[in-house]
Amino acid sequence: MAAWVVCALCALVIIKPQEFIPALAGIPLVHAAFGLTLLCVALDVLWRRLKPSLAPQVVYALAFLAWAALTTALKRPDALEERGMQLATVAGIFVAIAVAAASPRGLRALAITLVGCAVLTTVVAIVQSFQPHGCMIAAADDWEGKGELEPDGRPCETNLDCRVDAPVPDGNYRCERPGPLGTSTIDGRVRYRGSLADPNELSLMAGMAIPLAIALAERRAGPRRQRRPIGGGPPSDGEPPGGAAPRPAPRADAALGGTPRADAALGGTPRADAAPGGTRPAGARRAPTLPVLLTDRLLSRVAAALRALPVTVVIAAIGAMVVLSRSRSGVIVYLAVLGISFIRRIGTLGVIAACFVGPPMLLLGGRSGDEASESSEERVELLREAFEMIRRTKGIGVGAGQFGDESSLGLTAHNSYLLAAAETGLLGMCLFALVLYASIKVPLSIWLGDVDVGPTARRFAPAIFVSLCGALIGIFFLSWAYKDILYMALGASAALYGAARAEDSRVSVRVSGREVALVCGGMFVVLALLNVLLRFLG
């Protein structure tokens, strides 16, 4: 029960129906869903449906968010109330997912929710691209059009067309494509709304959902076999009880056309009409058998192809959306998660498949020309300002959410690792890196470890690992240090840990002191390399 409630909470945070459904405006849906989640978690724990287990990243995540609030209180006390509420919301969503979804059903429900949100936002973005351009007005101070745009019903081809006979003479007009659910493009790039109003962030969220969609499409593993203990004991599954004789070998004719009893499955009678000596009674009809070409292997491959058809459509749709968003970081994440998934599933053939998918995506996706050059120069300048903030505050940071106010460009760092260092200091940077490291280690340990977990945990462990790998790549180009969607993925890793421990108490993932030193030292090395690169670029 708690799992589905926390999934509803995640859907409300991502989709934001209260922003485009007037009847829901003003209703605190997120707060109500969070309170209901706490109640359901308490009931599930009381009824022993959930066995909470503390994943290693939970401590580091809460410590990082608490330190971010503390640095804000020290540097910008006037912004503590607003930023503190944002950090508390992120922490609440993270902990709620880590506890409420810590079961096989919870993991599956969470994956369905995240994939469903990715599919919905992808469809909305694709529909946007087919709409005609229209005049839209933004807020007076929103000259970049990152907020909501209101259409006024006039067609247009350029921004100048919207200034002719404008209803609001000094209005901030833009010529964009309107889309479903009150969405619109930005500079011709498809996007969603709310926290996904940036095309780059929409592409990253959708790319992170691809491994989960593949895991949902995978065939469920059968029940685990029980091994016969040495020296006797109950027989294993499928073994005749009492030490009876083994089953007879399948008929030779079955090798020509399917399973030994395939004729019975097709409507014929079993081979009970055969005489004990192998002769067929007079007048008895031979039961129909499978054609020679329809073997079990062929039928299983056809069934696997049919099961893979929906996820193939989802992957193709997300790829089309990434191309339409013109997001360079989105293309990189899409190719990374798809390449790792292909290699994991089909080995060398996955590399060949990636070679066919990669070049068209690189050719069609992303921006080019003067727009791309200006964006790159802007990001380099933001990185320089991040290092300047670290030096000016002597490694303490300027406070969570204060980078834009301190920057001369009025933008965030567009790099989550440097953003954490600039806003929460060097200690916050190390805590943030430990959160990511522990979240990656959990699914990797369950995936490759010698543990007896169920089929659901074993199926979703590599999917969550690949999804987090894509996130680690994507946040290098985006300011996601406190992003709710990132902490949903981190919470999924913590929920996987709880679900695995509920099935096998031997599951234990810890971060040693040596690992802490290596992770923190690695982050300082990354800072030094980035600083050298910026000096090299002049």
Side-chain angles (χ1 to χ4, degrees):
M1 181 171 58
W4 288 107
V5 176
V6 79
C7 289
L9 173 63
C10 294
L12 288 173
V13 172
I14 297 175
I15 303 300
K16 299 186 180 301
Q18 64 274 19
E19 293 187 2
F20 56 83
I21 300 179
L24 299 179
I27 301 177
L29 294 177
V30 175
H31 297 83
F34 182 72
L36 185 59
T37 300
L38 295 180
L39 177 61
C40 292
V41 167
L43 293 176
D44 282 354
V45 172
L46 184 63
W47 293 337
R48 297 184 179 180
R49 295 178 179 175
L50 284 176
K51 297 179 181 179
S53 298
L54 187 65
Q57 64 264 42
V58 173
V59 175
Y60 293 117
L62 296 180
F64 168 67
L65 296 174
W67 177 253
L70 180 59
T71 55
T72 307
L74 294 175
K75 294 295 183 178
R76 288 289 300 273
D78 56 322
L80 178 61
E81 182 178 357
E82 178 184 358
R83 297 302 172 184
M85 182 61 67
Q86 177 191 3
L87 296 173
T89 301
V90 171
I93 293 173
F94 169 73
V95 174
I97 294 174
V99 177
S103 65
R105 290 185 178 180
L107 283 176
R108 184 174 177 82
L110 182 61
I112 292 174
T113 301
L114 296 179
V115 173
C117 292
V119 170
L120 176 61
T121 54
T122 296
V123 171
V124 169
I126 292 177
V127 172
Q128 275 181 15
S129 63
F130 291 98
Q131 301 301 312
H133 286 87
C135 293
M136 312 189 77
I137 186 170
D141 56 346
D142 185 17
W143 290 105
E144 295 184 356
K146 293 185 177 181
E148 296 184 15
L149 302 178
E150 294 293 335
D152 64 3
R154 294 181 299 153
C156 63
E157 294 183 0
T158 64
N159 292 338
L160 295 177
D161 296 338
C162 297
R163 300 187 180 277
V164 178
D165 298 329
V168 181
D170 297 330
N172 184 8
Y173 282 100
R174 306 183 66 88
C175 184
E176 300 288 352
R177 298 180 187 269
L181 308 183
T183 60
S184 63
T185 59
I186 175 67
D187 293 332
R189 305 170 65 191
V190 297
R191 60 174 182 167
Y192 189 62
R193 61 183 304 134
S195 59
L196 299 178
D198 187 347
N200 300 311
E201 298 186 0
L202 173 60
S203 299
L204 175 55
M205 187 276 294
M208 290 168 56
I210 290 177
L212 301 178
I214 295 175
L216 289 172
E218 288 179 351
R219 187 175 183 179
R220 289 188 178 184
R224 288 172 287 181
R225 291 182 175 271
Q226 300 177 359
R227 297 180 179 178
R228 180 191 291 276
I230 299 176
S236 62
D237 295 344
E239 184 178 348
R247 294 178 179 176
R251 293 175 55 91
D253 58 340
L256 298 176
T259 60
R261 294 293 181 261
D263 50 347
L266 290 177
T269 58
R271 303 231 177 234
D273 55 352
T279 60
R280 184 180 302 277
R285 293 187 305 169
R286 181 180 179 89
T289 59
L290 283 172
V292 176
L293 296 179
L294 293 180
T295 61
D296 281 349
R297 188 174 183 182
L298 176 61
L299 292 176
S300 64
R301 288 186 174 182
V302 171
L306 292 177
R307 285 195 305 269
L309 183 60
V311 72
T312 303
V313 174
V314 170
I315 293 173
I318 292 176
M321 182 272 293
V322 171
V323 171
L324 293 172
S325 69
R326 303 207 304 269
S327 171
R328 290 173 292 180
S329 60
V331 171
I332 295 173
V333 172
Y334 181 84
L335 294 178
V337 298
L338 210 58
I340 297 174
S341 300
F342 281 175
I343 294 172
R344 184 180 73 86
R345 295 288 298 172
I346 52 180
T348 307
L349 293 178
V351 179
I352 299 175
C355 292
F356 280 100
V357 176
M361 289 292 297
L362 293 174
L363 181 63
L364 299 175
R367 290 176 287 176
S368 60
D370 295 339
E371 183 182 7
S373 300
E374 292 177 2
S375 176
S376 300
E377 293 174 0
E378 186 178 79
R379 289 172 182 263
V380 170
E381 182 62 28
L382 290 171
L383 295 181
R384 289 197 183 97
E385 291 188 343
F387 279 104
E388 180 59 31
M389 293 178 195
I390 296 173
R391 297 188 191 97
R392 190 172 70 246
T393 60
K394 298 181 180 179
I396 298 177
V398 296
Q402 306 308 309
F403 191 101
D405 294 339
E406 298 289 333
S407 170
S408 61
L409 301 178
L411 300 174
T412 56
H414 285 76
N415 184 300
S416 297
Y417 306 100
L418 269 180
L419 179 68
E423 292 190 345
T424 64
L426 299 179
L427 176 60
M429 176 194 68
C430 292
L431 290 173
F432 181 66
L434 288 170
V435 175
L436 301 177
Y437 173 77
S439 299
I440 283 284
K441 186 178 180 179
V442 166
L444 188 63
S445 300
I446 296 173
W447 177 17
L448 304 178
D450 185 18
V451 291
D452 190 22
V453 299
T456 302
R458 190 164 295 279
R459 187 166 72 250
F460 281 104
I464 293 175
F465 171 77
V466 176
S467 179
L468 288 175
C469 287
L472 264 62
I473 296 172
I475 65 176
F476 190 85
F477 307 98
L478 296 174
S479 302
W480 270 35
Y482 329 102
K483 191 71 171 182
D484 44 21
I485 298 175
L486 174 63
Y487 284 85
M488 290 180 191
L490 301 178
S493 174
L496 172 67
Y497 181 80
R501 276 194 60 83
E503 295 178 325
D504 188 353
S505 58
R506 296 179 302 165
V507 176
S508 179
V509 181
R510 296 290 181 266
V511 179
S512 64
R514 181 171 178 271
E515 290 173 298
V516 171
L518 289 175
V519 171
C520 295
M523 287 303 300
F524 282 105
V525 171
V526 171
L527 282 183
L529 292 177
L530 283 176
N531 194 13
V532 171
L533 178 61
L534 290 176
R535 292 180 181 276
F536 175 77
L537 293 175

